[in-house]
Amino acid sequence: MRGPLVNKLSLIFGPRPPLNCILLCLVSVCVLIALLSSFSSTTFDSVTSYAKPDVYTNYRKLKEQARNDYLELKSISLGANLIKDVGLCGKERENYVPCYNVSANLLAGLKDGEEFDRHCELSQEHQNCLVRPPKEYKIPLTWPAGRDVIWSGNVKLTKDQFLSSGSMTKRLMLLEENQIAFHSEDGMIVDGVKDYSHLIADMIGLGSDTEFLQAGVRSVLDIGCGFGSFGAHLLSLRLMALCVAPYEPSGSQVQLALERGLPAVIGNFISKQLPFPSLSYDMVHCAQCGIIWDSKDGLFLIEIDRLLKPGGYFVLTSPTTQQQDSTTSTKKGITSSSLEGFTKKLCWSLLAQQEETFIWQKTADSQCYTSSQDEIPVCKGNDMQMYYQPLARCISGTTSHRWVPIHSKSDHLNSTELEIHGLHPDDFFEDSNFWKLALRNYWSLLSPLIFSDHPKRPGDDDPLPPYNMVRNVMDMNAHYGGLSAALMEARKAVWVMNVVPLGARNTLPLIHDRGFAGVLHNWCEPFPTYPRTYDLLHANGLLSHIASQKCSMFELLLEMDRILRPEGWIILSDTLGTIEKARTLAAQIRWEARVIDLQNGSDQRLLVCQKPFVRK
């Protein structure tokens, strides 16, 4: 039986509500949402209130609850499917790296090593799920303890792989029940890393490896870095040493280096150029890296020449370059005959050789390449926007305004060098000041207080550091590398992977000339790294950029979740509408998230998130 109210409504509207009544209800709901949106932009978005423009204050649970209610209502209005949490991937994806699918590559006809290369265009394995950590995963130790001791359950390195490694590796590592311990700086004299570094310095004419910086060596590309001990030593000398090594399903050099808090990225010498601009590194180092350098008619050596700055060094330590022979002179002759001819074509000079170690120096004279009788042709056109292009059989960078010998470079870019990059000194100075201020704000936000109703915030002069480890930082839209410079000036114990998005202004040459690590990357594709390898992801304007590139924000956030370790942080800066959409998606991915109004009258907002430690 129907109640009296229903009977009265039936008399007015009939047994079924008319269409105009339904439309009236829908319009009322839309007006209510619009009013809430307008109200939130003036009240709910103002989650900070501070006297000074560089400190965020006054986070209140009431405001956050009101904002969350609004976002939930808006999510429901957009569709019920948007508020469902993303599920967890299966155990088989705990160490999943997209774009490396040997089976798919073989089916596509790739061979001669290219089947092991990166081919995102052939990988159709999109699964909207969250890559979960292994059962034994533990939060890494804080720096610098995390450099010397890591949890064995955090990396895919078995005891058998450790036991099958070389004697040098065993001296560098100690495998205990649930930890892998590396020799500390004090023990490096024993294990040979410090002696090896001194040997290289002596071979290029320096009194000690502490003089690398004075000799113009600030950035080193370490190919096949093993377990990263040489790179760790170079970092202690204030050099930027970036490890690049091939993708490995287990026992990965890149995964292990990043777990230790050392700069590393997946890359190899097979068929494509590395995603670095020409003239990027002061030194390229290879110690038993497994590359046959004189194969493919010297294409790999030409790629090294492209990456080296004028006057830069190529250090090769490899017993595979020598034949088994009893006399040292024969060994030297064989090595010299296999590489000497081609390195002369590259205008390199062999500085020194001691046993298995060889050091060549690239010429600082760009005219050498055109005056050589057996010349390799000079590349034509602009090679600035290099993104996994095929290896080129030509010399790059000889006509670049960045052709400056490493011995002539200063510690900081002068006005002339800035103008080479199309940047006015005043704009550069303004950008530097902006990031110094932004860093103070960011660092004060990396605290559990932002996710509570605690009434106090860090003060102006003594902001609290993050309570957890922040060592590996990625700036996903690095611009000029200002955040990296601010972190360095503030003496934060971090390193930054500066990423320049494909399609944006290519500032990567400027970033490398500043001595920072950086790559070119298309954010419509996954990033070449292992899961759980970064502690903090920062992106200023990236969400709007990928929207202009017709890429999926949802897939980008899933990729960020993959490469971010549990309890890691995300800081996104963008327009209000873009941030609100990201906030809704962040809830699906299970991130704890807060929207920060900058209180400067602009449409810019910050979205600060923390990834939870999710176990199944």
Side-chain angles (χ1 to χ4, degrees):
M1 295 180 63
R2 298 188 300 178
L5 179 61
V6 176
N7 291 330
K8 290 181 181 179
L9 290 175
S10 298
L11 290 173
I12 298 173
F13 295 111
R16 293 186 178 180
L19 181 60
N20 58 355
C21 179
I22 297 175
L23 291 175
L24 179 61
C25 292
L26 290 175
V27 170
S28 300
V29 172
C30 292
V31 170
L32 177 61
I33 292 174
L35 289 173
L36 284 172
S37 178
S38 175
F39 184 53
S40 70
S41 65
T42 58
T43 303
F44 300 146
D45 285 336
S46 300
V47 296
T48 62
S49 173
Y50 50 90
K52 296 186 178 182
D54 59 334
V55 179
Y56 302 121
T57 59
N58 196 22
Y59 294 92
R60 300 296 187 189
K61 181 174 287 187
L62 184 60
K63 290 184 177 181
E64 287 299 334
Q65 186 61 51
R67 180 169 186 82
N68 291 340
D69 291 343
Y70 157 65
L71 289 171
E72 183 177 359
L73 177 61
K74 189 168 183 179
S75 299
I76 294 173
S77 70
L78 292 174
N81 62 317
L82 290 182
I83 60 173
K84 295 179 180 178
D85 286 348
V86 178
L88 300 178
C89 301
K91 181 178 175 61
E92 72 280 357
R93 290 203 167 208
E94 289 178 352
N95 292 283
Y96 173 63
V97 180
C99 299
Y100 292 91
N101 188 326
V102 177
S103 299
N105 295 343
L106 288 172
L107 288 175
L110 297 175
K111 55 184 180 179
D112 297 330
E114 289 191 48
E115 67 271 22
F116 301 105
D117 214 338
R118 181 178 187 271
H119 294 282
C120 294
E121 71 281 1
L122 299 177
S123 298
Q124 305 295 330
E125 304 179 58
H126 298 296
Q127 291 187 15
N128 291 337
C129 59
L130 304 178
V131 175
R132 61 180 178 179
K135 182 179 179 180
E136 301 81 12
Y137 184 85
K138 296 183 180 181
I139 299 299
L141 302 176
T142 56
W143 181 268
R147 175 195 60 196
D148 301 327
V149 178
I150 66 174
W151 303 109
S152 56
N154 290 11
V155 294
K156 198 172 182 182
L157 178 68
T158 65
K159 182 176 291 187
D160 291 339
Q161 288 172 323
F162 172 76
L163 293 175
S164 63
S165 60
S167 58
M168 173 62 78
T169 300
K170 292 187 179 70
R171 293 202 303 271
L172 296 178
M173 297 170 54
L174 294 174
L175 188 64
E176 299 179 359
E177 183 177 355
N178 62 348
Q179 292 181 340
I180 300 175
F182 301 84
H183 285 285
S184 65
E185 179 67 18
D186 295 335
M188 283 187 173
I189 295 178
V190 177
D191 63 41
V193 173
K194 205 166 190 176
D195 286 341
Y196 178 65
S197 180
H198 280 295
L199 171 67
I200 294 174
D202 179 69
M203 291 174 69
I204 63 178
L206 303 178
S208 168
D209 57 359
T210 58
E211 299 179 11
F212 276 137
L213 284 172
Q214 295 92 312
V217 178
R218 292 188 299 166
S219 58
V220 179
L221 185 66
D222 193 7
I223 302 171
C225 57
F227 297 141
S229 293
F230 181 59
H233 176 64
L234 293 179
L235 286 175
S236 72
L237 300 176
R238 296 186 295 118
L239 275 63
M240 170 49 68
L242 176 65
C243 166
V244 58
Y247 165 73
E248 300 163 284
S250 63
S252 165
Q253 303 170 77
V254 170
Q255 185 186 40
L256 197 62
L258 286 167
E259 188 67 22
R260 297 184 64 187
L262 307 174
V265 67
I266 297 175
N268 54 26
F269 285 77
I270 296 178
S271 62
K272 298 177 182 178
Q273 295 179 341
L274 296 175
F276 310 119
S278 301
L279 315 180
S280 290
Y281 291 95
D282 306 310
M283 178 183 288
V284 176
H285 172 260
C286 161
Q288 302 183 30
C289 59
I291 298 175
I292 304 175
W293 289 106
D294 53 356
S295 64
K296 292 193 175 183
D297 296 328
L299 268 181
F300 301 148
L301 289 173
I302 294 176
E303 174 67 356
I304 295 296
D305 182 85
R306 184 183 75 83
L307 298 173
L308 275 176
K309 295 179 181 178
Y313 304 97
F314 178 48
V315 181
L316 174 63
T317 298
S318 177
T320 60
T321 60
Q322 302 173 357
Q323 300 290 336
Q324 297 297 325
D325 196 285
S326 59
T327 62
T328 305
S329 59
T330 305
K331 293 179 182 179
K332 292 182 179 180
I334 291 173
T335 303
S336 176
S337 63
S338 62
L339 295 177
E340 184 178 6
F342 201 86
T343 54
K344 284 184 176 179
K345 294 180 182 180
L346 292 173
C347 293
W348 294 2
S349 58
L350 181 61
L351 285 187
Q353 172 190 352
Q354 289 196 25
E355 297 182 353
E356 300 174 348
T357 299
F358 304 80
I359 299 182
W360 287 270
Q361 185 175 26
K362 177 177 176 175
T363 182
D365 180 14
S366 61
Q367 299 300 317
C368 177
Y369 296 99
T370 57
S371 61
S372 176
Q373 294 181 353
D374 299 322
E375 65 183 50
I376 301 171
V378 174
C379 297
K380 297 179 181 179
N382 185 1
D383 62 351
M384 285 279 288
Q385 196 89 348
M386 285 299 179
Y387 185 68
Y388 296 108
Q389 295 295 315
L391 290 171
R393 198 178 299 279
C394 58
I395 302 297
S396 301
T398 57
T399 59
S400 171
H401 294 297
R402 296 174 54 240
W403 186 278
V404 180
I406 63 172
H407 306 88
S408 304
K409 282 186 171 293
S410 57
D411 293 337
H412 303 285
L413 298 181
N414 55 41
S415 58
T416 303
E417 291 171 320
L418 290 174
E419 290 173 0
I420 288 175
H421 294 281
L423 188 60
H424 193 277
D426 291 342
D427 296 334
F428 183 75
F429 180 76
E430 181 180 351
D431 181 78
S432 298
N433 286 338
F434 169 82
W435 286 110
K436 291 176 186 177
L437 177 63
L439 176 61
R440 292 185 63 194
N441 293 337
Y442 290 166
W443 211 253
S444 69
L445 291 174
L446 302 185
S447 165
L449 297 181
I450 191 175
F451 299 118
S452 71
D453 59 348
H454 198 288
K456 296 182 180 180
R457 297 299 301 152
D460 294 354
D461 301 324
D462 188 26
L464 293 174
Y467 79 99
N468 55 3
M469 173 181 170
V470 175
R471 170 62 184 172
N472 300 346
V473 179
M474 178 184 289
D475 194 352
M476 302 173 68
N477 190 12
H479 301 285
Y480 306 141
L483 177 61
S484 183
L487 285 164
M488 180 180 294
E489 184 172 333
R491 297 185 180 277
K492 303 297 184 185
V494 305
W495 71 273
V496 181
M497 173 60 77
N498 295 277
V499 182
V500 175
L502 200 67
R505 178 184 175 185
N506 190 358
T507 55
L508 194 55
L510 170 64
I511 289 170
H512 277 274
D513 284 353
R514 298 184 75 177
F516 303 151
V519 296
L520 196 67
H521 182 65
N522 179 5
W523 280 116
C524 298
E525 300 174 351
F527 190 81
T529 192
Y530 290 82
R532 302 171 300 277
T533 46
Y534 283 89
D535 309 306
L536 170 63
L537 303 178
H538 170 264
N540 181 17
L542 179 64
L543 301 182
S544 295
H545 172 74
I546 64 163
S548 68
Q549 301 289 306
K550 309 299 183 185
C551 303
S552 167
M553 182 190 298
F554 182 58
E555 290 183 3
L556 174 66
L557 296 186
L558 284 178
E559 173 64 4
M560 293 169 65
D561 186 87
R562 183 184 73 86
I563 67 179
L564 189 69
R565 71 169 178 82
E567 299 187 6
W569 296 90
I570 306 101
I571 301 178
L572 302 175
S573 176
D574 223 299
T575 58
L576 173 60
T578 304
I579 288 296
E580 285 185 345
K581 180 180 178 182
R583 168 66 178 84
T584 303
L585 296 176
Q588 289 182 256
I589 305 176
R590 314 182 190 195
W591 294 349
E592 294 286 339
R594 292 294 181 267
V595 177
I596 311 299
D597 187 345
L598 300 178
Q599 292 284 303
N600 57 6
S602 72
D603 190 37
Q604 292 293 117
R605 297 291 188 272
L606 287 182
L607 180 64
V608 181
C609 309
Q610 187 175 29
K611 175 181 174 178
F613 198 151
V614 177
R615 293 186 183 275
K616 187 172 180 180

